[in-house]
PDB file of all heavy atoms in Angstrom:
ATOM      1  N   HIS H  22    -150.101  37.751-138.768  1.00  0.00           N
ATOM      2  CA  HIS H  22    -150.483  36.621-137.917  1.00  0.00           C
ATOM      3  C   HIS H  22    -151.318  35.583-138.681  1.00  0.00           C
ATOM      4  O   HIS H  22    -151.608  34.511-138.154  1.00  0.00           O
ATOM      5  CB  HIS H  22    -151.334  37.139-136.754  1.00  0.00           C
ATOM      6  CG  HIS H  22    -152.619  37.725-137.251  1.00  0.00           C
ATOM      7  ND1 HIS H  22    -152.685  38.977-137.841  1.00  0.00           N
ATOM      8  CD2 HIS H  22    -153.869  37.205-137.338  1.00  0.00           C
ATOM      9  CE1 HIS H  22    -153.928  39.207-138.233  1.00  0.00           C
ATOM     10  NE2 HIS H  22    -154.663  38.153-137.946  1.00  0.00           N
ATOM     11  N   SER H  23    -151.758  35.904-139.903  1.00  0.00           N
ATOM     12  CA  SER H  23    -152.744  35.051-140.572  1.00  0.00           C
ATOM     13  C   SER H  23    -152.194  33.659-140.889  1.00  0.00           C
ATOM     14  O   SER H  23    -151.078  33.518-141.399  1.00  0.00           O
ATOM     15  CB  SER H  23    -153.202  35.716-141.878  1.00  0.00           C
ATOM     16  OG  SER H  23    -154.056  34.825-142.576  1.00  0.00           O
ATOM     17  N   LEU H  24    -153.013  32.645-140.615  1.00  0.00           N
ATOM     18  CA  LEU H  24    -152.630  31.263-140.917  1.00  0.00           C
ATOM     19  C   LEU H  24    -153.184  30.821-142.276  1.00  0.00           C
ATOM     20  O   LEU H  24    -152.909  29.721-142.730  1.00  0.00           O
ATOM     21  CB  LEU H  24    -153.158  30.333-139.831  1.00  0.00           C
ATOM     22  CG  LEU H  24    -152.544  30.575-138.443  1.00  0.00           C
ATOM     23  CD1 LEU H  24    -153.300  29.806-137.373  1.00  0.00           C
ATOM     24  CD2 LEU H  24    -151.073  30.204-138.437  1.00  0.00           C
ATOM     25  N   SER H  25    -153.945  31.700-142.929  1.00  0.00           N
ATOM     26  CA  SER H  25    -154.555  31.313-144.202  1.00  0.00           C
ATOM     27  C   SER H  25    -153.525  30.959-145.280  1.00  0.00           C
ATOM     28  O   SER H  25    -153.747  30.014-146.038  1.00  0.00           O
ATOM     29  CB  SER H  25    -155.495  32.419-144.692  1.00  0.00           C
ATOM     30  OG  SER H  25    -156.598  32.504-143.821  1.00  0.00           O
ATOM     31  N   PRO H  26    -152.384  31.678-145.400  1.00  0.00           N
ATOM     32  CA  PRO H  26    -151.411  31.267-146.426  1.00  0.00           C
ATOM     33  C   PRO H  26    -150.931  29.828-146.240  1.00  0.00           C
ATOM     34  O   PRO H  26    -150.840  29.069-147.215  1.00  0.00           O
ATOM     35  CB  PRO H  26    -150.270  32.273-146.256  1.00  0.00           C
ATOM     36  CG  PRO H  26    -150.944  33.508-145.731  1.00  0.00           C
ATOM     37  CD  PRO H  26    -151.998  32.971-144.782  1.00  0.00           C
ATOM     38  N   ARG H  27    -150.649  29.420-145.001  1.00  0.00           N
ATOM     39  CA  ARG H  27    -150.215  28.027-144.771  1.00  0.00           C
ATOM     40  C   ARG H  27    -151.277  27.041-145.231  1.00  0.00           C
ATOM     41  O   ARG H  27    -150.996  26.023-145.851  1.00  0.00           O
ATOM     42  CB  ARG H  27    -150.050  27.768-143.272  1.00  0.00           C
ATOM     43  CG  ARG H  27    -148.893  28.423-142.628  1.00  0.00           C
ATOM     44  CD  ARG H  27    -149.105  28.272-141.126  1.00  0.00           C
ATOM     45  NE  ARG H  27    -148.117  29.060-140.435  1.00  0.00           N
ATOM     46  CZ  ARG H  27    -147.177  28.546-139.659  1.00  0.00           C
ATOM     47  NH1 ARG H  27    -147.116  27.263-139.452  1.00  0.00           N
ATOM     48  NH2 ARG H  27    -146.302  29.319-139.077  1.00  0.00           N
ATOM     49  N   MET H  28    -152.525  27.360-144.874  1.00  0.00           N
ATOM     50  CA  MET H  28    -153.626  26.434-145.142  1.00  0.00           C
ATOM     51  C   MET H  28    -153.894  26.296-146.646  1.00  0.00           C
ATOM     52  O   MET H  28    -154.006  25.193-147.183  1.00  0.00           O
ATOM     53  CB  MET H  28    -154.862  26.973-144.415  1.00  0.00           C
ATOM     54  CG  MET H  28    -156.103  26.186-144.593  1.00  0.00           C
ATOM     55  SD  MET H  28    -157.380  26.711-143.434  1.00  0.00           S
ATOM     56  CE  MET H  28    -157.815  28.333-144.022  1.00  0.00           C
ATOM     57  N   HIS H  29    -153.959  27.444-147.349  1.00  0.00           N
ATOM     58  CA  HIS H  29    -154.303  27.387-148.771  1.00  0.00           C
ATOM     59  C   HIS H  29    -153.127  26.913-149.626  1.00  0.00           C
ATOM     60  O   HIS H  29    -153.324  26.168-150.588  1.00  0.00           O
ATOM     61  CB  HIS H  29    -154.799  28.752-149.247  1.00  0.00           C
ATOM     62  CG  HIS H  29    -156.180  29.055-148.754  1.00  0.00           C
ATOM     63  ND1 HIS H  29    -157.303  28.466-149.276  1.00  0.00           N
ATOM     64  CD2 HIS H  29    -156.630  29.860-147.768  1.00  0.00           C
ATOM     65  CE1 HIS H  29    -158.386  28.898-148.639  1.00  0.00           C
ATOM     66  NE2 HIS H  29    -157.999  29.749-147.716  1.00  0.00           N
ATOM     67  N   ASN H  30    -151.911  27.311-149.274  1.00  0.00           N
ATOM     68  CA  ASN H  30    -150.762  26.825-150.058  1.00  0.00           C
ATOM     69  C   ASN H  30    -150.585  25.319-149.886  1.00  0.00           C
ATOM     70  O   ASN H  30    -150.207  24.624-150.834  1.00  0.00           O
ATOM     71  CB  ASN H  30    -149.494  27.599-149.677  1.00  0.00           C
ATOM     72  CG  ASN H  30    -149.502  29.005-150.276  1.00  0.00           C
ATOM     73  OD1 ASN H  30    -149.877  29.179-151.440  1.00  0.00           O
ATOM     74  ND2 ASN H  30    -149.137  30.000-149.494  1.00  0.00           N
ATOM     75  N   ALA H  31    -150.896  24.807-148.686  1.00  0.00           N
ATOM     76  CA  ALA H  31    -150.850  23.348-148.479  1.00  0.00           C
ATOM     77  C   ALA H  31    -151.872  22.667-149.386  1.00  0.00           C
ATOM     78  O   ALA H  31    -151.610  21.596-149.959  1.00  0.00           O
ATOM     79  CB  ALA H  31    -151.131  23.019-147.019  1.00  0.00           C
ATOM     80  N   ALA H  32    -153.036  23.295-149.550  1.00  0.00           N
ATOM     81  CA  ALA H  32    -154.079  22.722-150.409  1.00  0.00           C
ATOM     82  C   ALA H  32    -153.644  22.729-151.874  1.00  0.00           C
ATOM     83  O   ALA H  32    -153.813  21.743-152.601  1.00  0.00           O
ATOM     84  CB  ALA H  32    -155.378  23.508-150.235  1.00  0.00           C
ATOM     85  N   PHE H  33    -153.067  23.847-152.323  1.00  0.00           N
ATOM     86  CA  PHE H  33    -152.616  23.915-153.729  1.00  0.00           C
ATOM     87  C   PHE H  33    -151.556  22.850-154.000  1.00  0.00           C
ATOM     88  O   PHE H  33    -151.587  22.162-155.024  1.00  0.00           O
ATOM     89  CB  PHE H  33    -152.051  25.309-154.048  1.00  0.00           C
ATOM     90  CG  PHE H  33    -153.062  26.430-153.967  1.00  0.00           C
ATOM     91  CD1 PHE H  33    -152.672  27.699-153.532  1.00  0.00           C
ATOM     92  CD2 PHE H  33    -154.378  26.244-154.330  1.00  0.00           C
ATOM     93  CE1 PHE H  33    -153.591  28.745-153.459  1.00  0.00           C
ATOM     94  CE2 PHE H  33    -155.314  27.284-154.260  1.00  0.00           C
ATOM     95  CZ  PHE H  33    -154.917  28.539-153.821  1.00  0.00           C
ATOM     96  N   ARG H  34    -150.619  22.710-153.046  1.00  0.00           N
ATOM     97  CA  ARG H  34    -149.546  21.711-153.219  1.00  0.00           C
ATOM     98  C   ARG H  34    -150.136  20.304-153.274  1.00  0.00           C
ATOM     99  O   ARG H  34    -149.755  19.494-154.110  1.00  0.00           O
ATOM    100  CB  ARG H  34    -148.542  21.794-152.064  1.00  0.00           C
ATOM    101  CG  ARG H  34    -147.440  22.818-152.290  1.00  0.00           C
ATOM    102  CD  ARG H  34    -146.274  22.586-151.342  1.00  0.00           C
ATOM    103  NE  ARG H  34    -146.650  22.669-149.942  1.00  0.00           N
ATOM    104  CZ  ARG H  34    -146.763  23.809-149.261  1.00  0.00           C
ATOM    105  NH1 ARG H  34    -146.522  24.958-149.853  1.00  0.00           N
ATOM    106  NH2 ARG H  34    -147.100  23.787-147.988  1.00  0.00           N
ATOM    107  N   ALA H  35    -151.066  20.023-152.370  1.00  0.00           N
ATOM    108  CA  ALA H  35    -151.634  18.667-152.297  1.00  0.00           C
ATOM    109  C   ALA H  35    -152.330  18.284-153.597  1.00  0.00           C
ATOM    110  O   ALA H  35    -152.330  17.119-153.991  1.00  0.00           O
ATOM    111  CB  ALA H  35    -152.614  18.582-151.126  1.00  0.00           C
ATOM    112  N   LEU H  36    -152.936  19.285-154.265  1.00  0.00           N
ATOM    113  CA  LEU H  36    -153.679  18.986-155.498  1.00  0.00           C
ATOM    114  C   LEU H  36    -152.835  19.233-156.752  1.00  0.00           C
ATOM    115  O   LEU H  36    -153.310  19.034-157.870  1.00  0.00           O
ATOM    116  CB  LEU H  36    -154.944  19.848-155.566  1.00  0.00           C
ATOM    117  CG  LEU H  36    -155.985  19.574-154.472  1.00  0.00           C
ATOM    118  CD1 LEU H  36    -157.182  20.505-154.639  1.00  0.00           C
ATOM    119  CD2 LEU H  36    -156.454  18.128-154.495  1.00  0.00           C
ATOM    120  N   GLY H  37    -151.593  19.708-156.564  1.00  0.00           N
ATOM    121  CA  GLY H  37    -150.742  19.998-157.726  1.00  0.00           C
ATOM    122  C   GLY H  37    -151.257  21.169-158.545  1.00  0.00           C
ATOM    123  O   GLY H  37    -151.027  21.235-159.759  1.00  0.00           O
ATOM    124  N   LEU H  38    -151.967  22.105-157.899  1.00  0.00           N
ATOM    125  CA  LEU H  38    -152.471  23.282-158.625  1.00  0.00           C
ATOM    126  C   LEU H  38    -151.383  24.346-158.681  1.00  0.00           C
ATOM    127  O   LEU H  38    -150.722  24.613-157.672  1.00  0.00           O
ATOM    128  CB  LEU H  38    -153.693  23.870-157.912  1.00  0.00           C
ATOM    129  CG  LEU H  38    -154.964  23.032-157.867  1.00  0.00           C
ATOM    130  CD1 LEU H  38    -156.060  23.792-157.123  1.00  0.00           C
ATOM    131  CD2 LEU H  38    -155.435  22.697-159.274  1.00  0.00           C
ATOM    132  N   ASP H  39    -151.210  24.954-159.833  1.00  0.00           N
ATOM    133  CA  ASP H  39    -150.194  25.998-159.997  1.00  0.00           C
ATOM    134  C   ASP H  39    -150.778  27.336-159.527  1.00  0.00           C
ATOM    135  O   ASP H  39    -151.052  28.228-160.330  1.00  0.00           O
ATOM    136  CB  ASP H  39    -149.741  26.044-161.467  1.00  0.00           C
ATOM    137  CG  ASP H  39    -148.607  27.034-161.677  1.00  0.00           C
ATOM    138  OD1 ASP H  39    -148.006  27.488-160.677  1.00  0.00           O
ATOM    139  OD2 ASP H  39    -148.325  27.356-162.857  1.00  0.00           O
ATOM    140  N   TRP H  40    -151.006  27.410-158.243  1.00  0.00           N
ATOM    141  CA  TRP H  40    -151.576  28.594-157.600  1.00  0.00           C
ATOM    142  C   TRP H  40    -150.669  28.970-156.424  1.00  0.00           C
ATOM    143  O   TRP H  40    -150.012  28.105-155.843  1.00  0.00           O
ATOM    144  CB  TRP H  40    -152.948  28.315-157.010  1.00  0.00           C
ATOM    145  CG  TRP H  40    -154.110  28.225-157.964  1.00  0.00           C
ATOM    146  CD1 TRP H  40    -154.225  27.405-159.041  1.00  0.00           C
ATOM    147  CD2 TRP H  40    -155.348  28.945-157.867  1.00  0.00           C
ATOM    148  NE1 TRP H  40    -155.458  27.568-159.638  1.00  0.00           N
ATOM    149  CE2 TRP H  40    -156.163  28.512-158.925  1.00  0.00           C
ATOM    150  CE3 TRP H  40    -155.846  29.899-156.988  1.00  0.00           C
ATOM    151  CZ2 TRP H  40    -157.455  29.005-159.139  1.00  0.00           C
ATOM    152  CZ3 TRP H  40    -157.133  30.387-157.186  1.00  0.00           C
ATOM    153  CH2 TRP H  40    -157.924  29.949-158.255  1.00  0.00           C
ATOM    154  N   ALA H  41    -150.691  30.244-156.041  1.00  0.00           N
ATOM    155  CA  ALA H  41    -150.002  30.696-154.834  1.00  0.00           C
ATOM    156  C   ALA H  41    -150.955  31.579-154.040  1.00  0.00           C
ATOM    157  O   ALA H  41    -151.807  32.270-154.620  1.00  0.00           O
ATOM    158  CB  ALA H  41    -148.752  31.489-155.196  1.00  0.00           C
ATOM    159  N   TYR H  42    -150.816  31.558-152.719  1.00  0.00           N
ATOM    160  CA  TYR H  42    -151.697  32.336-151.830  1.00  0.00           C
ATOM    161  C   TYR H  42    -150.818  33.255-150.994  1.00  0.00           C
ATOM    162  O   TYR H  42    -149.891  32.810-150.322  1.00  0.00           O
ATOM    163  CB  TYR H  42    -152.479  31.374-150.945  1.00  0.00           C
ATOM    164  CG  TYR H  42    -153.550  32.016-150.083  1.00  0.00           C
ATOM    165  CD1 TYR H  42    -154.894  31.934-150.443  1.00  0.00           C
ATOM    166  CD2 TYR H  42    -153.226  32.672-148.893  1.00  0.00           C
ATOM    167  CE1 TYR H  42    -155.891  32.494-149.643  1.00  0.00           C
ATOM    168  CE2 TYR H  42    -154.218  33.238-148.095  1.00  0.00           C
ATOM    169  CZ  TYR H  42    -155.547  33.147-148.473  1.00  0.00           C
ATOM    170  OH  TYR H  42    -156.524  33.698-147.686  1.00  0.00           O
ATOM    171  N   LEU H  43    -151.117  34.537-151.020  1.00  0.00           N
ATOM    172  CA  LEU H  43    -150.274  35.554-150.374  1.00  0.00           C
ATOM    173  C   LEU H  43    -151.079  36.346-149.349  1.00  0.00           C
ATOM    174  O   LEU H  43    -152.309  36.402-149.427  1.00  0.00           O
ATOM    175  CB  LEU H  43    -149.735  36.519-151.444  1.00  0.00           C
ATOM    176  CG  LEU H  43    -148.929  35.856-152.565  1.00  0.00           C
ATOM    177  CD1 LEU H  43    -148.790  36.807-153.743  1.00  0.00           C
ATOM    178  CD2 LEU H  43    -147.559  35.450-152.045  1.00  0.00           C
ATOM    179  N   ALA H  44    -150.366  36.981-148.419  1.00  0.00           N
ATOM    180  CA  ALA H  44    -151.020  37.853-147.432  1.00  0.00           C
ATOM    181  C   ALA H  44    -150.692  39.298-147.767  1.00  0.00           C
ATOM    182  O   ALA H  44    -149.513  39.648-147.936  1.00  0.00           O
ATOM    183  CB  ALA H  44    -150.525  37.508-146.037  1.00  0.00           C
ATOM    184  N   PHE H  45    -151.729  40.140-147.883  1.00  0.00           N
ATOM    185  CA  PHE H  45    -151.534  41.544-148.246  1.00  0.00           C
ATOM    186  C   PHE H  45    -151.946  42.458-147.093  1.00  0.00           C
ATOM    187  O   PHE H  45    -153.136  42.507-146.735  1.00  0.00           O
ATOM    188  CB  PHE H  45    -152.390  41.899-149.476  1.00  0.00           C
ATOM    189  CG  PHE H  45    -152.085  41.080-150.695  1.00  0.00           C
ATOM    190  CD1 PHE H  45    -152.944  40.062-151.095  1.00  0.00           C
ATOM    191  CD2 PHE H  45    -150.937  41.321-151.451  1.00  0.00           C
ATOM    192  CE1 PHE H  45    -152.676  39.304-152.226  1.00  0.00           C
ATOM    193  CE2 PHE H  45    -150.663  40.566-152.581  1.00  0.00           C
ATOM    194  CZ  PHE H  45    -151.530  39.556-152.965  1.00  0.00           C
ATOM    195  N   PRO H  46    -150.979  43.205-146.517  1.00  0.00           N
ATOM    196  CA  PRO H  46    -151.358  44.182-145.501  1.00  0.00           C
ATOM    197  C   PRO H  46    -151.925  45.416-146.196  1.00  0.00           C
ATOM    198  O   PRO H  46    -151.229  46.074-146.970  1.00  0.00           O
ATOM    199  CB  PRO H  46    -150.017  44.498-144.806  1.00  0.00           C
ATOM    200  CG  PRO H  46    -148.959  44.153-145.800  1.00  0.00           C
ATOM    201  CD  PRO H  46    -149.533  43.180-146.793  1.00  0.00           C
ATOM    202  N   ILE H  47    -153.207  45.692-145.967  1.00  0.00           N
ATOM    203  CA  ILE H  47    -153.840  46.825-146.650  1.00  0.00           C
ATOM    204  C   ILE H  47    -154.331  47.826-145.597  1.00  0.00           C
ATOM    205  O   ILE H  47    -155.188  47.501-144.766  1.00  0.00           O
ATOM    206  CB  ILE H  47    -155.044  46.363-147.516  1.00  0.00           C
ATOM    207  CG1 ILE H  47    -154.619  45.261-148.501  1.00  0.00           C
ATOM    208  CG2 ILE H  47    -155.657  47.558-148.242  1.00  0.00           C
ATOM    209  CD1 ILE H  47    -153.635  45.652-149.560  1.00  0.00           C
ATOM    210  N   ASP H  48    -153.819  49.020-145.692  1.00  0.00           N
ATOM    211  CA  ASP H  48    -154.191  50.121-144.805  1.00  0.00           C
ATOM    212  C   ASP H  48    -155.687  50.432-144.994  1.00  0.00           C
ATOM    213  O   ASP H  48    -156.177  50.460-146.133  1.00  0.00           O
ATOM    214  CB  ASP H  48    -153.257  51.252-145.252  1.00  0.00           C
ATOM    215  CG  ASP H  48    -153.609  52.611-144.750  1.00  0.00           C
ATOM    216  OD1 ASP H  48    -154.767  52.893-144.489  1.00  0.00           O
ATOM    217  OD2 ASP H  48    -152.654  53.382-144.661  1.00  0.00           O
ATOM    218  N   PRO H  49    -156.424  50.647-143.900  1.00  0.00           N
ATOM    219  CA  PRO H  49    -157.877  50.872-144.016  1.00  0.00           C
ATOM    220  C   PRO H  49    -158.264  52.014-144.954  1.00  0.00           C
ATOM    221  O   PRO H  49    -159.367  52.017-145.489  1.00  0.00           O
ATOM    222  CB  PRO H  49    -158.299  51.196-142.575  1.00  0.00           C
ATOM    223  CG  PRO H  49    -157.279  50.511-141.726  1.00  0.00           C
ATOM    224  CD  PRO H  49    -155.989  50.553-142.490  1.00  0.00           C
ATOM    225  N   ASP H  50    -157.361  52.971-145.211  1.00  0.00           N
ATOM    226  CA  ASP H  50    -157.714  54.076-146.116  1.00  0.00           C
ATOM    227  C   ASP H  50    -157.676  53.676-147.587  1.00  0.00           C
ATOM    228  O   ASP H  50    -158.073  54.458-148.455  1.00  0.00           O
ATOM    229  CB  ASP H  50    -156.729  55.247-145.928  1.00  0.00           C
ATOM    230  CG  ASP H  50    -156.947  55.945-144.597  1.00  0.00           C
ATOM    231  OD1 ASP H  50    -158.050  55.801-144.044  1.00  0.00           O
ATOM    232  OD2 ASP H  50    -156.005  56.599-144.117  1.00  0.00           O
ATOM    233  N   HIS H  51    -157.153  52.487-147.886  1.00  0.00           N
ATOM    234  CA  HIS H  51    -156.939  52.123-149.293  1.00  0.00           C
ATOM    235  C   HIS H  51    -157.562  50.782-149.675  1.00  0.00           C
ATOM    236  O   HIS H  51    -157.113  50.135-150.619  1.00  0.00           O
ATOM    237  CB  HIS H  51    -155.437  52.114-149.604  1.00  0.00           C
ATOM    238  CG  HIS H  51    -154.808  53.453-149.439  1.00  0.00           C
ATOM    239  ND1 HIS H  51    -154.046  53.793-148.358  1.00  0.00           N
ATOM    240  CD2 HIS H  51    -154.897  54.562-150.205  1.00  0.00           C
ATOM    241  CE1 HIS H  51    -153.668  55.061-148.464  1.00  0.00           C
ATOM    242  NE2 HIS H  51    -154.172  55.552-149.576  1.00  0.00           N
ATOM    243  N   VAL H  52    -158.593  50.379-148.948  1.00  0.00           N
ATOM    244  CA  VAL H  52    -159.164  49.050-149.180  1.00  0.00           C
ATOM    245  C   VAL H  52    -159.752  48.917-150.589  1.00  0.00           C
ATOM    246  O   VAL H  52    -159.445  47.961-151.315  1.00  0.00           O
ATOM    247  CB  VAL H  52    -160.244  48.732-148.125  1.00  0.00           C
ATOM    248  CG1 VAL H  52    -160.935  47.422-148.430  1.00  0.00           C
ATOM    249  CG2 VAL H  52    -159.611  48.683-146.749  1.00  0.00           C
ATOM    250  N   SER H  53    -160.578  49.877-150.999  1.00  0.00           N
ATOM    251  CA  SER H  53    -161.230  49.751-152.310  1.00  0.00           C
ATOM    252  C   SER H  53    -160.206  49.738-153.436  1.00  0.00           C
ATOM    253  O   SER H  53    -160.269  48.889-154.338  1.00  0.00           O
ATOM    254  CB  SER H  53    -162.204  50.909-152.551  1.00  0.00           C
ATOM    255  OG  SER H  53    -163.188  50.882-151.583  1.00  0.00           O
ATOM    256  N   ASP H  54    -159.261  50.677-153.379  1.00  0.00           N
ATOM    257  CA  ASP H  54    -158.220  50.732-154.421  1.00  0.00           C
ATOM    258  C   ASP H  54    -157.454  49.418-154.486  1.00  0.00           C
ATOM    259  O   ASP H  54    -157.164  48.899-155.569  1.00  0.00           O
ATOM    260  CB  ASP H  54    -157.198  51.833-154.109  1.00  0.00           C
ATOM    261  CG  ASP H  54    -157.765  53.208-154.354  1.00  0.00           C
ATOM    262  OD1 ASP H  54    -158.871  53.283-154.911  1.00  0.00           O
ATOM    263  OD2 ASP H  54    -157.093  54.186-153.982  1.00  0.00           O
ATOM    264  N   ALA H  55    -157.096  48.905-153.310  1.00  0.00           N
ATOM    265  CA  ALA H  55    -156.279  47.685-153.273  1.00  0.00           C
ATOM    266  C   ALA H  55    -157.050  46.494-153.828  1.00  0.00           C
ATOM    267  O   ALA H  55    -156.515  45.720-154.634  1.00  0.00           O
ATOM    268  CB  ALA H  55    -155.840  47.409-151.832  1.00  0.00           C
TER     269      ALA H  55
END
Side-chain angles (χ1 to χ4, degrees):
H22 64 283
S23 174
L24 295 169
S25 292
R27 289 168 188 245
M28 178 168 69
H29 286 285
N30 285 318
F33 296 146
R34 273 196 300 277
L36 295 179
L38 294 180
D39 185 13
W40 284 56
Y42 187 102
L43 302 164
F45 301 104
I47 305 295
D48 166 332
D50 289 339
H51 297 103
V52 175
S53 299
D54 287 351

